[in-house]
Amino acid sequence: MTGATREMFYNEALGEALRLEMERDERVIVLGEDIAEHGGAFQVTAGLLDKFGPTRIRQTPISELGIVGAAVGAALTGLRPVVELMYVDFSGLAMDQLVNQAAQNRFMFGGQARVPMVMRTQGGSGRGNAAQHSKSLEAWFTHVAGLKVVMPSTPADAKGLLTSAIRDDDPVIFLEHKLLYRTKGQVPSGEYLVPLGKADVKRAGTDLTIVTWSREVLFSLEAAGKLAADGIEAEVIDLRSLVPLDRDAVLASVRRTHRLLVVHEAIKRGGYGGEIAAIVAEEAFDDLDAPPRRLAGLETPIPYAQHLEKTVVPQVDDIVRVAKELVA
Amino acid sequence: MERPTALDLYRVMRRIRDFEERATVLFGEGKLWGTIHSYAGEEGIAAGVCAHLRDDDWITSTHRGHGHCIAKGADLGRMYAELLGRETGYCRGRGGSMHIADTSKGNLGANGIVGGGIPIATGAALTAKQLGTDQVAVSFFGDGAANQGAFHESANLASIWKLPVIYVCENNQYAESLPVKNAFAIDDISSRAGGYGMPGVRVNGRDVRAVYDAAGELIARARRGEGPAFLVADTYRHEGHYYGDPRKYQSKDEIEGWKTRFDPLVDTRAWITEAKLATAAELDAIDAEVIEEAKRAVAWAEAGPPASPISLPGDVYASY
């Protein structure tokens, strides 16, 4: 990062990206529940109603299918809508419009259409919201040809990736994490773009590669610090965007460290970590000194009780333990 | 009704009927595959509504979408080419019958999902409202889709935001094999409009004049910024749900009875000649022109190259 920066919360950085893009392009509108006076369930759109008014900050009834579908139609006809879906767990209500419509219109119509829309939503556990408000569902979306899937872990990436997502001509599923909104970081001022499809080496290392995204990036960095105290240097790669995937960054790192650990909060079965492990096994098998490992959520809904919630998703000490097993 | 309007409506309806009959023959000859859904019997609705639309107005259509596509001004050759899996088809052979779109004419696509186009038309109307144009959007769908959540959510959104969208429900008596009497606890589907605070109008879909008049008023109203409306046209599909449907849910008497009793083309010929807007011979001449046009379109389509191989990621993503 060069140039002026400012310390911001993750949710403020997202709000700044929205504000700047709405100032830049009148075709950008925001649709969603509680996004007006209330400022959004996680205060991302705070202040935008005053600045842009109710026609561009369009607060909607609780109609996820209708809202997302309206965004698809608006995107097809010239707007660049950004939908805020309050919880990723609600995306099932809108899935037809995402999977059968937005994702496929370009292909089905032989290239006649484009669908420049963003669906922002958030997922993840750690706040006692229990099973219907805490899932990590990125694998659902990565499995659909035609969607892009983005998951920022830092305030700067949140701003830069959201800006790129809004300017992108394809439908982008933009997945935030509820426990990242109040994390702080330096964020470049003014126009700032992080390209979709570029991973970020959040920490360089030589002994193993940790591929991760969203909140587990923070856990992995903390774990890497603990590992370093024991003389193990972990490289932490934040994918940032799952689709498109920066395969080159993953493969190049594994070819140097010879060990792969994928860490994500979503449950392991059918998770995107399997895709990363498979790519590495297919393309860099001979470079590996150990089988790829996945550390991910247990195959369970997220439980409510505070002492239970942490037991079902990878924690810092879990990452340290598995990393040590991998390099042993 | 003026003679040019009447003849335009008749020509569009004849074009649609001919397309459906010809597509069925092509299917029987093994030149098409997958599935097609005939719009025969419902022609007056697409013709009567789309007569009021400009090229920059939008429609969303259904799996039974050929008629809407033709009425919105599509090129028949490109439609046949799509059914035949040619590169020259509207969707370059990627979409087929259930996904034909013609964005240059505002057709945002047929849709294989029942009710799938309703929120999209609503969003198109949002674009018009947002950009301050006088464009309108029309969503065609069947009685089956009127029971999807997509309809209810969209109708409510359109109404609270006063969007220029007209929801056109073609009640062809069956949602696949389910008769309307088993799918609705009300007799008049248009009565639902009241629940959304918009006008609801019910017309006889076999009478293209009734459709034309009702749609004209509702579309003009939407163009003036007075909000959405719900138009229900009672109709009957002459064929089954899809080509090859054994129609076990219908009796032979019912099918034959409806076909003879309910044919908007026969009706349209009758009132045009009775009103002396044109002679039977003039209508026959239109029929002959439509047939020649269709033959040329099929020949052009059959001469087209096969759909090119899938190209990734460009076929799927605008950028990657």
Side-chain angles (χ1 to χ4, degrees), chain A residues 158-209:
Chain A
K159 177 178 174 179
L161 288 166
L162 183 54
T163 305
S164 295
I166 292 170
R167 295 189 193 180
D168 199 274
D169 279 340
D170 294 309
V172 179
I173 307 298
F174 197 92
L175 299 169
E176 299 152 16
H177 193 294
K178 57 175 66 63
L179 283 189
L180 291 176
Y181 287 121
R182 298 312 278 170
T183 58
K184 273 186 174 174
Q186 290 296 319
V187 177
S189 302
E191 182 181 67
Y192 177 60
L193 290 98
V194 171
L196 307 186
K198 284 280 173 220
D200 186 38
V201 178
K202 287 281 194 286
R203 178 190 173 113
T206 51
D207 297 327
L208 79 154
T209 298

Side-chain angles (χ1 to χ4, degrees), chain A:
Chain A
M1 261 175 244
T2 55
T5 66
R6 194 155 63 89
E7 186 172 64
M8 297 177 92
F9 287 112
Y10 182 95
N11 61 345
E12 293 172 336
L14 291 163
E16 182 164 283
L18 285 173
R19 179 175 60 78
L20 291 172
E21 288 309 291
M22 291 184 77
E23 284 172 353
R24 177 179 174 269
D25 185 348
E26 66 163 18
R27 296 171 303 167
V28 178
I29 64 167
V30 181
L31 304 163
E33 298 155 8
D34 296 336
I35 62 166
E37 288 84 356
H38 187 63
F42 297 91
Q43 295 298 298
V44 170
T45 57
L48 296 182
L49 176 67
D50 288 343
K51 192 159 177 52
F52 298 105
T55 60
R56 293 185 69 197
I57 299 295
R58 277 199 181 258
Q59 180 155 316
T60 64
I62 302 170
S63 304
E64 282 83 5
L65 170 59
I67 302 163
V68 172
V72 177
L76 278 169
T77 51
L79 299 184
R80 305 188 82 87
V82 179
V83 173
E84 175 171 313
L85 202 72
M86 203 181 288
Y87 287 78
V88 73
D89 310 72
F90 308 164
S91 62
L93 293 159
M95 216 52 157
D96 173 60
Q97 287 295 323
L98 293 169
V99 172
N100 285 313
Q101 317 295 341
Q104 303 188 141
N105 273 337
R106 176 183 172 78
F107 179 87
M108 288 191 311
F109 300 164
Q112 289 181 75
R114 51 179 197 167
V115 189
M117 64 175 279
V118 179
M119 186 184 85
R120 286 184 43 244
T121 185
Q122 59 77 36
S125 64
R127 220 185 58 159
N129 292 140
Q132 294 175 337
H133 292 74
S134 300
K135 282 188 282 298
S136 297
L137 295 176
E138 62 268 26
W140 284 11
F141 301 108
T142 62
H143 200 62
V144 179
L147 297 178
K148 292 176 176 172
V149 183
V150 176
M151 298 185 79
S153 69
T154 68
D157 286 347
K159 177 178 174 179
L161 288 166
L162 183 54
T163 305
S164 295
I166 292 170
R167 295 189 193 180
D168 199 274
D169 279 340
D170 294 309
V172 179
I173 307 298
F174 197 92
L175 299 169
E176 299 152 16
H177 193 294
K178 57 175 66 63
L179 283 189
L180 291 176
Y181 287 121
R182 298 312 278 170
T183 58
K184 273 186 174 174
Q186 290 296 319
V187 177
S189 302
E191 182 181 67
Y192 177 60
L193 290 98
V194 171
L196 307 186
K198 284 280 173 220
D200 186 38
V201 178
K202 287 281 194 286
R203 178 190 173 113
T206 51
D207 297 327
L208 79 154
T209 298
I210 299 177
V211 174
T212 185
W213 52 90
S214 193
R215 188 178 180 222
E216 293 288 347
V217 171
L218 274 53
F219 286 1
S220 296
L221 288 170
E222 197 178 331
K226 290 189 173 188
L227 289 164
D230 290 334
I232 299 167
E233 290 299 329
E235 180 147 299
V236 178
I237 295 185
D238 178 0
L239 285 184
R240 300 196 293 195
S241 93
L242 277 54
V243 181
L245 172 67
D246 192 347
R247 298 160 68 101
D248 292 347
V250 172
L251 291 168
S253 176
V254 169
R255 286 183 173 125
R256 279 188 285 103
T257 67
H258 310 294
R259 287 177 171 82
L260 172 70
L261 170 61
V262 190
V263 181
H264 60 68
E265 182 171 334
I267 68 172
K268 190 176 192 175
R269 183 178 66 214
Y272 198 61
E275 179 69 15
I276 303 299
I279 288 171
V280 168
E282 282 178 340
E283 299 192 26
F285 188 77
D286 292 339
D287 293 296
L288 289 172
D289 287 345
R293 290 287 303 269
R294 289 175 294 158
L295 180 60
L298 299 184
E299 281 81 12
T300 170
I302 301 294
Y304 162 69
Q306 201 162 13
H307 66 285
L308 293 180
E309 195 180 22
K310 283 184 177 176
T311 65
V312 302
V313 300
Q315 304 295 311
V316 173
D317 289 343
D318 300 321
I319 301 171
V320 171
R321 173 176 51 78
V322 176
K324 284 183 174 172
E325 290 169 13
L326 191 56
V327 297

